[in-house]
Amino acid sequence: MKTSKITYKLFFLIILILQIFPSFAQNKDKPNIVVFFVDDLGWQDISVPFYTGKTAINKKFHTPNLELLAKESTKFTNAYATPVCTPSRVSMLTGVNAAHHRITNWTHPLANKPTDNPDDLLTPPDWNINGMSPDPNIPKTFHATPFPMILKDHGYYTIHVGKAHWGSAGTPAASPKNVGFMVNVAGHSAGHPQSYYAQQHYGNMPGKASLQAVPDLMEYYGSETFLTEALTLEAIKAISEPIKRGEPFFLNFSNYAVHVPIQPDPRFVQKYLGNGLDATEAAYASLVEGFDKSIGDIIHVLKEKGVYENTVIIFLSDNGGLSLKPMRSGANHTQNLPLRAGKGSIYEGGIRVPLLIKDVQDGKERVSDVPVIIEDLFPTILEYAHIKDYSLVQKNIDGKSLASLTKGKTDGSWKNRSLIWHIPNKWTVPDGSGINFFSAIRRGDFKLVYEMKKGKLELYNITEDIGEMNDLSDKNPKELRALSKILSDQLKRWEAQMPVIKASGKKVPFPDELN
Amino acid sequence: MKTSKITYKLFFLIILILQIFPSFAQNKDKPNIVVFFVDDLGWQDISVPFYTGKTAINKKFHTPNLELLAKESTKFTNAYATPVCTPSRVSMLTGVNAAHHRITNWTHPLANKPTDNPDDLLTPPDWNINGMSPDPNIPKTFHATPFPMILKDHGYYTIHVGKAHWGSAGTPAASPKNVGFMVNVAGHSAGHPQSYYAQQHYGNMPGKASLQAVPDLMEYYGSETFLTEALTLEAIKAISEPIKRGEPFFLNFSNYAVHVPIQPDPRFVQKYLGNGLDATEAAYASLVEGFDKSIGDIIHVLKEKGVYENTVIIFLSDNGGLSLKPMRSGANHTQNLPLRAGKGSIYEGGIRVPLLIKDVQDGKERVSDVPVIIEDLFPTILEYAHIKDYSLVQKNIDGKSLASLTKGKTDGSWKNRSLIWHIPNKWTVPDGSGINFFSAIRRGDFKLVYEMKKGKLELYNITEDIGEMNDLSDKNPKELRALSKILSDQLKRWEAQMPVIKASGKKVPFPDELN
């Protein structure tokens, strides 16, 4: 009887504890996950070096919070996204490569509006111009299960803050609430803010609002709250709820910075002007330091609330840095040197992005030079959340979990991995430096670039020639043929879309079909 | 040992059950609460009669879902709000009378913009033109603790859908997320929709958007989804989350209907045109049937998910029906007959609203003729949620819980209750029929009306003369003096604000100071 009585008391005590701290039972298995997603940030546009040491570009920028985060993270020095935003964002959300999901260019804020520019030679294919969709039968969308929906269905409190841009207005994915987020702040179908300024209501001025006017932030109107700061305050407000409840949360903090319009963040711009940067580049650097402060502020709250240790943090950009004048200063395509070109390009400047992952297991600083790509985040995040049992609309995913790499483990499976890019689109005018109608593959040290309009293949040794200056196609025909075959086979397997040659009405050939 | 082993097994079983169904432990004590709040709906503008039987006005409207709800609810036949929206909405949110919280007129979508019309005789006082605020030190706001914040802090999953209008842009209460809602759909600082039509993006057309453009509904743009339907779909989506998680929820479903612009809901308008209503009134009736379908659809989901029994449902309007031409048809102030006047007026047409409360305890149809007022909902809702232990910024609340009345219990405390209205403002031009610069009190059968501009008191027996046609001020000076004293004392206790007489620079006297 005595044993029974003690057990009885213990039993109620444990029930009481479970009631008060429901997190106790779950936390270890379900760490919080925070993604800091930055828009249009170049590979070197922070003070954390991802190349052989601090470059001149790294030195222009001040991101002290990322420097601290890097010390507890795995730094992926060969991480990639796609050349423009929507393809990257959908790849992350669905685990599927852009060639495969067929959202190969940015999506218009309104439905059924292609965003390709006119071209004399080629017609882009009938790609999914309305973005992804969690629902079937939505015209011109990629139907898939987004991972936040899986997290939500497994008890995560899911929050989106900032830029969404997964689907056009008039389709479900225009609202983050339809892709698995319980809470949405400022995310919609547009890809950039009309204005970063609260004084301009972030664009929502009567009679002046465009489709890019940022929703949801009316409490800041007329104040001096820069958009980056407003989003940070909203993110902090939103995560306080699951933290209070002891629930695991996923925060997708997708800053609108540093996308155009490159407007100076008044909190930081003076320093950069003082450092001798011109108005445009000082403004750009101020946007960079602004999101860095965002990251610092949120990490501060995570620490203060005692949940930092149990939080996975992922930092990355959605494509390379913009390299077009007059939005940026300097000659075109010089902004990301030694990387070639910038946003929109299939060359490294357009697709190489900084990626940091802080694991919960330990806070070790690690470097991984394994080539990885944005669709890898889908299985990575689900592995961190220990979710194995889920069903997907998309038949299979193309990404591969990076979780083991962040624990310092690697194996042969990474060695000859192929990463693929495919842009059968006309993003901007004029063509040039890897922009418009290109495919590419990276495997090991080598990268093959296919310029569709010229029917031309280029081969680079990325490890030795990160600037893609030395075309090896003549010198190494064996590697050229091998990569051409792998790229073509994979594109065919994915039923990737090719543009049509206007003169002949025929499709552009796959690279292995070139004469 | 055997007993201990069984207890041990039982213990794990119960823990398992608690993990899988966290609701089991809480549900009974924490029923779900749904408020269906309609905008500008007149007392008789539904097919449920609140007067002595179906009136001619009741017969114009078709609200089958409210008829069903009424059969399981307590019908309050003497329920009141304030004459316009923001004062009512803030009174409900804070439990405080409008004379006391000093938001006595509607608030502008932008901060620091008074909404009073110019007047030759009187200047309105320095009222809280920016609305309420959950934070201290926000200029021209009423600082208070809103009840959704209390619900949220006690484990409720709190959702706002539709019109908010608690505070101006640039102040915290412009965002429902700052007054205790975890999820917000389409609520902001504006008091009506720019458009009910998805084809017009609910107002968000580039270059045409006003401050009334409805946020958050981009996934419906270009479709045929009427605003009322879009909000309904969003509300259903939002409540599915706490239902799935077994968490109690509070849904504040505040339809934009039936506020101007009175645009026809295409799903229902044809019937009313066929019934002989003119275009305006048919459109109005279609807005009414639209929100009724909203209510039916949500109740259907509650039943389908098995949570209807454990859900308190409250239905009401925020002020009387609009009685101004050309927004409504017919001569001014005839739309609510036999009630006098309409929205904006201190007469019954402006302040009397339909109120239904479905308790969780039983589904009995009851009628209560106790005079009740909108600030009563604050303590009512907290009583339903069994929340007793909470702290408030507002020193005390003026409302009184109606929960006992919905259980068929009444006592002497209700008998000589005084309800008070106070409008030291100029809502519209011209003055007339109880609109602009009025105070009033109802106690028992009697109502005293104080017309500030004329320094005149009127007395009505509301029970016998609901139309306020027969002024008894000469016949019953005793009652007149008594009510005048109670009204003045209460206004003074609340430090209610009086307008200033332009000619003398003196404040308008309280009613008991009249010569």
Side-chain angles (χ1 to χ4, degrees):
Chain A
M1 264 316 265
K2 211 179 170 187
T3 316
S4 168
K5 227 175 188 174
I6 291 169
T7 318
Y8 189 73
K9 278 182 181 171
L10 182 73
F11 159 81
F12 274 103
L13 186 69
I14 294 182
I15 294 228
L16 192 72
I17 290 170
L18 279 172
Q19 293 286 313
I20 300 173
F21 305 104
S23 54
F24 274 28
Q26 303 192 336
N27 253 354
K28 288 264 158 173
D29 269 358
K30 291 192 193 279
N32 310 306
I33 298 164
V34 174
V35 173
F36 291 114
F37 205 35
V38 188
D39 199 14
D40 280 7
L41 182 78
W43 187 52
Q44 298 170 85
D45 296 348
I46 52 178
S47 52
V48 177
F50 279 72
Y51 193 34
T52 52
K54 277 211 183 189
T55 62
I57 297 176
N58 287 142
K59 287 175 187 163
K60 273 171 62 179
F61 299 98
H62 299 278
T63 56
N65 295 294
L66 279 174
E67 289 182 35
L68 287 172
L69 181 64
K71 287 196 204 309
E72 302 183 343
S73 301
T74 300
K75 184 201 288 189
F76 288 87
T77 55
N78 280 273
Y80 292 96
T82 81
V84 293
C85 46
T86 316
S88 282
R89 286 162 190 264
V90 173
S91 288
M92 178 172 150
L93 211 65
T94 64
V96 172
N97 184 275
H100 195 180
H101 63 53
R102 298 184 166 187
I103 302 154
T104 46
N105 202 353
W106 64 281
T107 51
H108 195 279
L110 298 180
N112 303 318
K113 292 187 181 285
T115 54
D116 295 294
N117 283 283
D119 187 78
D120 288 340
L121 234 58
L122 301 180
T123 305
D126 188 21
W127 58 284
N128 284 320
I129 58 171
N130 291 333
M132 69 83 60
S133 171
D135 299 338
N137 305 320
I138 308 294
K140 297 177 191 296
T141 64
F142 172 59
H143 179 209
T145 307
F147 77 81
M149 207 172 261
I150 300 169
L151 291 178
K152 181 164 68 98
D153 288 346
H154 284 78
Y156 272 80
Y157 191 107
T158 54
I159 302 160
H160 172 81
V161 177
K163 170 169 163 176
H165 206 189
W166 294 299
S168 300
T171 75
S175 167
K177 285 182 180 140
N178 291 329
V179 301
F181 291 102
M182 288 154 63
V183 174
N184 168 41
V185 180
H188 60 154
S189 64
H192 66 85
Q194 187 174 347
S195 167
Y196 283 93
Y197 295 123
Q199 295 94 332
Q200 295 172 6
H201 302 182
Y202 311 113
N204 298 280
M205 302 295 277
K208 292 182 185 167
S210 72
L211 295 165
Q212 282 76 28
V214 183
D216 293 337
L217 301 171
M218 61 292 289
E219 69 259 49
Y220 303 99
Y221 290 4
S223 73
E224 295 183 352
T225 316
F226 199 72
L227 178 56
T228 309
E229 175 71 359
L231 296 176
T232 308
L233 294 171
E234 291 300 300
I236 289 169
K237 196 192 300 169
I239 59 173
S240 75
E241 206 49 50
I243 291 174
K244 207 171 58 193
R245 294 169 167 242
E247 293 177 7
F249 64 86
F250 169 56
L251 169 64
N252 190 48
F253 189 170
S254 176
N255 246 309
Y256 276 101
V258 300
H259 200 293
V260 296
I262 297 174
Q263 295 175 323
D265 185 331
R267 298 173 297 171
F268 306 107
V269 70
Q270 201 53 48
K271 174 166 67 182
Y272 297 97
L273 290 167
N275 288 353
L277 298 188
D278 69 21
T280 302
E281 293 305 298
Y284 184 80
S286 77
L287 289 176
V288 170
E289 190 164 347
F291 81 67
D292 180 76
K293 181 173 187 305
S294 230
I295 292 172
D297 289 353
I298 285 166
I299 287 178
H300 176 76
V301 170
L302 296 174
K303 287 182 173 171
E304 202 178 52
K305 307 257 185 184
V307 301
Y308 177 74
E309 297 295 323
N310 198 34
T311 301
V312 172
I313 297 179
I314 299 172
F315 163 80
L316 81 162
S317 175
D318 67 342
N319 49 245
L322 188 65
S323 63
L324 296 174
K325 213 179 165 174
M327 283 88 84
R328 291 291 300 274
S329 296
N332 273 348
H333 305 314
T334 61
Q335 293 75 4
N336 300 302
L337 289 173
L339 302 190
R340 187 165 172 186
K343 180 179 180 181
S345 174
I346 206 117
Y347 291 124
E348 298 287 300
I351 56 178
R352 199 175 259 255
V353 295
L355 171 64
L356 295 172
I357 302 184
K358 180 191 93 74
D359 195 349
V360 287
Q361 299 307 315
D362 61 32
K364 280 202 187 127
E365 186 174 9
R366 288 199 172 89
V367 177
S368 171
D369 62 359
V370 170
V372 301
I373 190 163
I374 195 157
E375 53 261 31
D376 295 336
L377 292 180
F378 182 108
T380 304
I381 288 170
L382 292 180
E383 183 172 344
Y384 279 127
H386 294 92
I387 299 173
K388 285 165 191 160
D389 189 23
Y390 54 88
S391 60
L392 293 177
V393 168
Q394 56 272 46
K395 280 187 208 97
N396 35 48
I397 59 160
D398 305 315
K400 182 171 154 81
S401 173
L402 309 177
S404 62
L405 297 175
T406 67
K407 298 177 204 316
K409 294 176 200 159
T410 183
D411 59 47
S413 72
W414 296 98
K415 188 153 173 59
N416 279 315
R417 198 178 182 215
S418 298
L419 303 183
I420 284 173
W421 298 267
H422 180 63
I423 298 95
N425 299 84
K426 179 108 171 177
W427 175 61
T428 192
V429 176
D431 299 335
S433 215
I435 295 173
N436 306 332
F437 304 112
F438 276 86
S439 299
I441 180 170
R442 175 162 179 192
R443 196 178 71 136
D445 294 335
F446 288 95
K447 179 173 168 188
L448 178 85
V449 171
Y450 173 33
E451 185 170 4
M452 299 180 194
K453 283 177 97 167
K454 294 187 180 160
K456 189 183 153 212
L457 297 172
E458 297 166 8
L459 182 71
Y460 300 101
N461 182 321
I462 294 296
T463 311
E464 292 173 2
D465 172 27
I466 202 170
E468 294 163 288
M469 305 298 286
N470 190 14
D471 181 0
L472 305 171
S473 54
D474 289 339
K475 287 183 189 158
N476 196 343
K478 195 180 149 195
E479 185 72 31
L480 184 88
R481 270 197 307 277
L483 289 184
S484 168
K485 177 79 167 65
I486 299 170
L487 173 59
S488 301
D489 287 352
Q490 186 60 279
L491 290 177
K492 288 172 199 169
R493 237 183 334 261
W494 283 340
E495 299 180 4
Q497 299 173 299
M498 299 305 277
V500 169
I501 301 160
K502 287 187 171 174
S504 66
K506 287 184 181 165
K507 281 187 187 168
V508 163
F510 286 100
D512 67 346
E513 296 164 353
L514 292 173
N515 296 323
Chain B
M1 266 314 270
K2 209 178 172 189
T3 315
S4 168
K5 230 174 185 173
I6 291 169
T7 318
Y8 190 73
K9 279 183 179 167
L10 182 72
F11 158 82
F12 274 102
L13 186 71
I14 293 181
I15 294 226
L16 191 73
I17 290 170
L18 279 171
Q19 293 285 314
I20 299 172
F21 304 104
S23 53
F24 273 28
Q26 304 191 337
N27 253 354
K28 289 264 158 173
D29 268 0
K30 292 192 192 279
N32 311 306
I33 297 164
V34 174
V35 173
F36 292 114
F37 204 35
V38 188
D39 199 14
D40 281 6
L41 182 78
W43 188 53
Q44 298 168 85
D45 296 347
I46 51 177
S47 52
V48 177
F50 279 72
Y51 193 34
T52 52
K54 278 210 183 191
T55 62
I57 296 177
N58 288 141
K59 287 176 187 162
K60 272 171 62 179
F61 299 98
H62 299 277
T63 56
N65 294 294
L66 279 174
E67 287 182 36
L68 287 172
L69 181 64
K71 287 196 203 308
E72 302 183 342
S73 301
T74 300
K75 184 199 290 190
F76 289 87
T77 56
N78 281 273
Y80 292 97
T82 81
V84 292
C85 44
T86 316
S88 282
R89 285 162 191 264
V90 172
S91 288
M92 177 171 151
L93 211 65
T94 64
V96 172
N97 186 275
H100 196 180
H101 63 54
R102 297 184 167 187
I103 302 153
T104 47
N105 202 353
W106 64 283
T107 50
H108 195 278
L110 298 180
N112 303 318
K113 293 187 179 286
T115 53
D116 295 293
N117 283 283
D119 187 79
D120 288 340
L121 235 58
L122 301 180
T123 306
D126 187 22
W127 59 285
N128 285 321
I129 57 170
N130 291 334
M132 70 84 59
S133 171
D135 299 337
N137 305 317
I138 308 294
K140 298 179 190 295
T141 64
F142 172 59
H143 179 208
T145 307
F147 77 82
M149 207 172 262
I150 301 169
L151 291 177
K152 180 164 70 98
D153 288 346
H154 284 76
Y156 271 81
Y157 190 108
T158 53
I159 302 160
H160 172 80
V161 177
K163 170 169 164 175
H165 207 190
W166 293 299
S168 301
T171 75
S175 167
K177 284 182 180 141
N178 291 329
V179 301
F181 291 101
M182 288 154 63
V183 174
N184 167 43
V185 180
H188 61 153
S189 64
H192 66 85
Q194 187 175 346
S195 167
Y196 284 93
Y197 297 122
Q199 294 94 332
Q200 295 172 5
H201 303 184
Y202 311 113
N204 297 281
M205 300 295 276
K208 291 182 186 167
S210 72
L211 295 165
Q212 282 76 26
V214 183
D216 292 340
L217 301 172
M218 61 292 288
E219 70 259 49
Y220 303 100
Y221 289 5
S223 73
E224 294 184 353
T225 317
F226 199 71
L227 177 57
T228 309
E229 174 71 359
L231 296 175
T232 308
L233 294 171
E234 291 300 301
I236 289 170
K237 196 192 301 169
I239 59 174
S240 75
E241 206 50 49
I243 291 174
K244 206 171 59 194
R245 294 169 166 242
E247 293 178 7
F249 65 86
F250 169 56
L251 169 65
N252 191 48
F253 190 170
S254 176
N255 246 310
Y256 276 100
V258 299
H259 199 294
V260 294
I262 297 175
Q263 295 175 323
D265 185 332
R267 298 172 298 171
F268 305 108
V269 69
Q270 202 51 48
K271 172 165 70 185
Y272 297 97
L273 291 167
N275 288 353
L277 298 188
D278 69 22
T280 302
E281 294 304 297
Y284 184 81
S286 77
L287 289 176
V288 170
E289 189 164 347
F291 80 67
D292 181 77
K293 180 173 188 304
S294 232
I295 293 171
D297 289 353
I298 285 167
I299 287 177
H300 176 76
V301 169
L302 297 174
K303 287 182 174 170
E304 203 178 50
K305 306 255 186 186
V307 301
Y308 177 74
E309 297 296 322
N310 198 34
T311 301
V312 172
I313 296 178
I314 300 172
F315 163 81
L316 81 162
S317 175
D318 66 343
N319 48 245
L322 188 66
S323 63
L324 296 174
K325 215 180 163 174
M327 282 88 83
R328 292 290 302 271
S329 295
N332 274 347
H333 305 315
T334 60
Q335 292 75 3
N336 300 303
L337 288 173
L339 302 190
R340 187 164 171 187
K343 179 179 181 181
S345 174
I346 206 118
Y347 290 124
E348 298 288 300
I351 56 179
R352 198 177 260 254
V353 294
L355 171 64
L356 295 173
I357 302 184
K358 179 190 94 73
D359 195 349
V360 287
Q361 299 307 315
D362 60 32
K364 280 203 187 128
E365 186 174 10
R366 288 199 171 88
V367 177
S368 172
D369 62 358
V370 170
V372 300
I373 191 162
I374 194 156
E375 53 260 33
D376 295 336
L377 291 181
F378 182 109
T380 304
I381 288 170
L382 291 180
E383 184 173 343
Y384 279 126
H386 296 92
I387 300 173
K388 285 165 192 161
D389 189 23
Y390 54 88
S391 61
L392 293 177
V393 169
Q394 56 272 47
K395 280 185 208 101
N396 35 49
I397 59 160
D398 305 315
K400 184 170 153 79
S401 173
L402 309 177
S404 62
L405 297 174
T406 67
K407 298 177 203 316
K409 295 174 198 160
T410 184
D411 60 45
S413 72
W414 297 98
K415 188 154 173 59
N416 279 315
R417 198 179 182 212
S418 297
L419 303 184
I420 283 172
W421 299 266
H422 180 63
I423 298 95
N425 299 83
K426 179 109 171 176
W427 175 62
T428 193
V429 176
D431 299 335
S433 215
I435 295 172
N436 306 332
F437 304 111
F438 276 86
S439 299
I441 179 171
R442 173 159 182 195
R443 196 178 71 137
D445 294 335
F446 288 96
K447 178 172 168 188
L448 179 84
V449 171
Y450 173 33
E451 185 171 4
M452 299 180 194
K453 284 177 98 166
K454 294 187 179 160
K456 188 183 155 214
L457 295 171
E458 297 166 7
L459 183 71
Y460 300 102
N461 182 322
I462 294 296
T463 312
E464 292 174 1
D465 173 26
I466 202 169
E468 295 163 286
M469 305 297 288
N470 190 12
D471 181 1
L472 304 171
S473 54
D474 289 340
K475 287 184 190 157
N476 197 342
K478 195 179 148 196
E479 186 71 30
L480 185 87
R481 270 197 307 278
L483 288 184
S484 169
K485 178 79 166 65
I486 299 170
L487 173 59
S488 301
D489 286 352
Q490 187 59 278
L491 290 178
K492 288 171 198 168
R493 232 179 344 255
W494 283 340
E495 300 180 4
Q497 300 172 298
M498 300 304 279
V500 169
I501 301 160
K502 286 187 170 174
S504 66
K506 286 184 182 166
K507 281 186 185 168
V508 164
F510 286 100
D512 67 345
E513 296 163 353
L514 291 173
N515 295 324

